[in-house]
């Protein structure tokens, strides 16, 4: 297959070239949007990532230029208009699971860093400041951790936190029996909000979960709690969370994803003026830690992303869509 890759970074080229099994790749650094969509002509498929735009006009332009397949090299597909893809006869495949450990462990890294302030200690000690003032944390042991979404990543995350000796509570419309058998109780959303010392989001972004943490939810949180989001930015109403940080209802915020991340994440903008005042406001809080969507970024995950995407391309080329990876199969 002739595949146009969008939003490509050096690591994409490294891993996809390493495992390529006979397809022809064109790597574009541009994000897929209305300006770059013309680059896809003369290809059979596009390979895209989390912040590429696949709305109806772009899908129509892709269909017009002969694109038959969208291969997402990620799990989430909230950026694709699936109805439009179906109507236009474009297949959509993804990588539903690639090292859930990568993302779950990153969520734990955010928790430990916010709690024990290792990022601050690292800088202090390097500058000859050996003071412990303001580095105090808390024991994770015995704390209540709420997990929203107990699929592949949430399950691994819950297991790690149980290993720390935490009491783990869960919220998911489809309870996971494996977790229940390990003593994890499913509770209503309000109970989870009220009881969690740490709340970690691991559900997909859907119309139902959009702003799952909004002003009303923030009012119900345990004062001073820690909120972690490694899932999708729009699960949290960022304006509301800034207010909650200001009046200390939220004591710590760790996010690997941000509602407007598409304009910034994955790019080096260190010499640029950032015009997003909300992002800049978040960065002024001493108890906020932001990483730029790096939860997936481990060697194991990158290997699996490349291998599964390549298997998807090969299968689709032969008209054999792999059921577990297929979101839209053209009629
Ligand atoms: P999954 O499909 O295995 O699990 C998602 C779980 O969320 C399911 O159990 C589902 O029942 C539950 N869910 C659905 N609607 C819900 C709701 N309204 N309330 C609570 N739970 C709900 O997915 P996964 O592999 O565990 O991934 C979870 C999310 O992590 C993905 O959707 C993606 O957005 C995000 N992700 C982030 C990164 C990163 O690099 N930061 C990488 C991969 C995935």
């Amino acid at each position: 297959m002739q595949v146009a890759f969008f939003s490509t970074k050096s690591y994409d080229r490294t891993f996809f070239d390493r495992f390529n099994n006979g397809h022809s790749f064109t790597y574009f650094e541009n994000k897929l949007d209305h300006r770059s969509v013309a680059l896809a002509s003369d290809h059979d498929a596009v390979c895209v990532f989390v912040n590429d735009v696949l709305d109806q006009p772009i899908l129509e332009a892709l269909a017009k230029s002969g694109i038959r397949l969208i291969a997402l090299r990620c799990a989430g597909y909230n950026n694709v208009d699936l109805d439009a893809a179906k109507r236009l006869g474009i297949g959509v495949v993804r990588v539903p699971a690639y090292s859930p450990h990568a993302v779950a462990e990153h969520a734990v890294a955010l928790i430990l860093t916010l709690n024990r302030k290792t990022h601050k200690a690292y800088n202090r000690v390097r500058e000859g400041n050996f003071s412990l003032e303001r580095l105090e944390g808390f024991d994770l042991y015995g704390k209540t951790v709420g997990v929203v979404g107990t699929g592949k990543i949430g399950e691994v995350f819950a297991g790690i936190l149980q290993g720390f000796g935490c009491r783990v509570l869960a919220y998911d419309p489809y309870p996971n029996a494996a977790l229940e058998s390990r003593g994890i109780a499913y509770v209503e959303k309000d109970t989870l909000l009220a009881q969690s010392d740490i709340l970690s989001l691991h559900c997909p972004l859907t119309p139902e979960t959009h702003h799952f943490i909004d002003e009303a939810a923030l009012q119900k949180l345990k004062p001073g709690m820690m909120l972690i989001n490694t899932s999708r930015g729009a699960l949290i109403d960022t304006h509301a969370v800034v207010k909650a940080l200001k009046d200390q209802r939220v004591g710590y915020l760790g996010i690997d994803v941000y509602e407007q991340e598409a304009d910034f994440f994955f790019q080096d903008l260190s010499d640029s003026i950032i015009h997003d005042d909300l992002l800049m406001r978040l960065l002024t809080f001493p108890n906020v830690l932001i990483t730029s969507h790096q939860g997936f970024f481990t060697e194991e995950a990158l290997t699996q992303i490349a291998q599964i995407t390549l298997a998807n391309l090969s299968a689709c080329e032969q008209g054999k869509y792999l059921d577990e990876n297929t979101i839209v199969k053209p009629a």
Side-chain angles (χ1 to χ4, degrees):
M1 268 196 174
Q2 307 276 342
V3 187
F5 276 63
F6 286 87
S7 303
T8 319
K9 301 290 177 196
S10 64
Y11 42 86
D12 295 307
R13 284 191 286 274
T14 302
F15 281 83
F16 276 89
D17 286 346
R18 183 181 299 165
F19 298 109
N20 190 359
N21 48 356
H23 300 284
S24 168
F25 298 150
T26 316
Y27 293 115
F28 298 113
E29 289 178 16
N30 313 53
K31 201 170 84 169
L32 176 60
D33 58 20
H34 67 278
R35 286 167 304 211
S36 63
V37 67
L39 295 169
S41 62
D42 300 329
H43 295 84
D44 307 303
V46 291
C47 183
V48 295
F49 198 47
V50 292
N51 291 326
D52 289 305
V53 180
L54 294 122
D55 58 13
Q56 185 180 317
I58 294 203
L59 290 169
E60 283 169 355
L62 289 174
K64 215 176 267 174
S65 63
I67 294 294
R68 296 178 279 128
L69 180 69
I70 292 159
L72 292 152
R73 51 182 194 280
C74 54
Y77 49 87
N78 50 285
N79 51 338
V80 188
D81 183 335
L82 298 181
D83 291 335
K86 214 173 282 175
R87 245 189 349 267
L88 293 161
I90 301 177
V92 182
V93 291
R94 65 169 179 150
V95 184
Y98 52 88
S99 182
H101 304 279
V103 184
E105 289 171 13
H106 189 70
V108 177
L110 294 176
I111 293 171
L112 289 171
T113 308
L114 279 167
N115 176 17
R116 305 306 297 267
K117 305 171 182 67
T118 42
H119 55 318
K120 295 182 183 177
Y122 173 84
N123 286 324
R124 275 193 196 184
V125 170
R126 284 173 74 91
E127 289 179 5
N129 176 355
F130 301 96
S131 159
L132 298 185
E133 296 293 339
R134 302 183 306 284
L135 293 183
E136 184 184 314
F138 58 83
D139 284 5
L140 284 177
Y141 179 84
K143 295 295 181 296
T144 299
V145 177
V147 186
V148 177
T150 51
K152 291 172 286 292
I153 296 171
E155 179 176 348
V156 173
F157 174 82
I160 298 172
L161 271 296
Q162 276 194 311
F164 275 99
C166 296
R167 168 182 175 243
V168 180
L169 298 177
Y171 173 77
D172 192 312
Y174 304 97
N176 176 339
L179 265 70
E180 288 178 304
S181 71
R182 291 192 334 233
I184 292 172
Y186 281 86
V187 295
E188 291 303 315
K189 178 176 174 181
D190 282 1
T191 309
L192 194 82
L193 297 175
Q195 295 198 8
S196 297
D197 297 296
I198 298 171
L199 186 70
S200 193
L201 307 180
H202 299 288
C203 61
L205 176 63
T206 63
E208 294 78 51
T209 61
H210 182 263
H211 286 184
F212 183 88
I213 300 294
D214 58 8
E215 181 56 38
L218 288 160
Q219 294 287 352
K220 295 172 185 154
L221 293 172
K222 198 165 176 177
M225 57 80 68
M226 181 187 289
L227 178 61
I228 301 292
N229 186 9
T230 56
S231 208
R232 284 294 180 267
L235 293 178
I236 295 181
D237 176 346
T238 317
H239 281 281
V241 95
V242 164
K243 250 174 74 191
L245 280 159
K246 278 163 127 179
D247 56 29
Q248 297 176 21
R249 279 175 287 146
V250 170
Y252 311 79
L253 175 71
I255 53 175
D256 188 44
V257 286
Y258 167 63
E259 269 187 291
Q260 311 303 337
E261 70 177 49
D263 297 333
F264 312 102
F265 282 19
F266 310 123
Q267 303 171 61
D268 180 355
L269 300 174
S270 45
D271 285 331
S272 307
I273 307 291
I274 308 262
H275 290 278
D276 186 321
D277 292 347
L278 195 56
L279 178 61
M280 290 295 103
R281 180 67 181 100
L282 277 178
L283 290 172
T284 64
F285 290 100
N287 50 351
V288 171
L289 178 59
I290 305 179
T291 53
S292 59
H293 209 136
Q294 70 176 82
F296 73 99
F297 202 52
T298 67
E299 171 154 9
E300 290 80 359
L302 290 168
T303 298
Q304 289 167 24
I305 289 170
Q307 289 177 334
I308 295 168
T309 303
L310 288 161
N312 281 339
L313 292 173
S314 298
C316 294
E317 189 172 30
Q318 296 162 27
K320 293 186 227 144
Y321 278 69
L322 303 172
D323 282 343
E324 66 279 18
N325 302 346
T326 301
I327 311 166
V328 174
K329 186 175 176 179

